Amino acid sequence: MFPDDHQDKFDRLRRHFMSGLPQREAEIEEHTATLLEHGADKSALDGLHLAAHKLAGICATYGLHRLGQLAEKAEALLERSQQQAPCDAEMESILVAADLLTEELGCVIETA
């Protein structure tokens, strides 16, 4: 894929990214727990949106296509909440998307 020296750098970057996934998973779970406890908390929605956005942007680079797709779906749902508080049905969709995202993160972490 890359010349050897670039492949080594890429592999180090990928390992670094993978080592940070448990922290990302914990962050998403924390925001999700806040939403479950307090409803449409603006800070939690914003934090969850940022976490999903970051994952959506980088996952394909490291070959984590399913994780990236789930992050993109969560991000799209959360973008709507940036303009106005989500209704109950939208909150349910956001929570389901966050749950699917953390499940996939867990799978990726286990196999890393």
Side-chain angles (χ1 to χ4, degrees):
M1 176 176 188
F2 300 113
D4 288 342
D5 61 330
H6 292 303
Q7 186 64 47
D8 289 342
K9 289 176 185 176
F10 178 80
D11 291 342
R12 281 194 304 273
L13 287 170
R14 188 177 196 282
R15 282 192 302 275
H16 178 73
F17 171 76
M18 297 296 283
S19 72
L21 289 182
Q23 182 179 352
R24 290 175 187 246
E25 179 184 30
E27 179 184 0
I28 291 168
E29 287 176 343
E30 182 179 323
H31 293 308
T32 302
T34 299
L35 293 173
L36 285 167
E37 187 175 334
H38 300 287
D41 179 86
K42 177 76 169 135
S43 178
L45 288 166
D46 290 347
L48 191 54
H49 178 260
L50 183 59
H53 174 75
K54 288 178 180 178
L55 281 174
I58 192 68
C59 284
T61 301
Y62 295 119
L64 302 170
H65 301 290
R66 175 154 170 70
L67 182 58
Q69 290 170 341
L70 291 170
E72 287 174 5
K73 288 179 183 177
E75 179 185 20
L77 288 169
L78 287 154
E79 279 181 9
R80 289 184 222 139
S81 73
Q82 300 295 296
Q83 279 72 42
Q84 64 184 32
C87 67
D88 289 344
E90 291 169 328
M91 274 301 296
E92 184 177 334
S93 295
I94 288 168
L95 292 169
V96 168
D99 187 52
L100 291 172
L101 188 55
T102 55
E103 282 182 22
E104 184 63 20
L105 271 165
C107 291
V108 169
I109 292 165
E110 283 180 19
T111 60

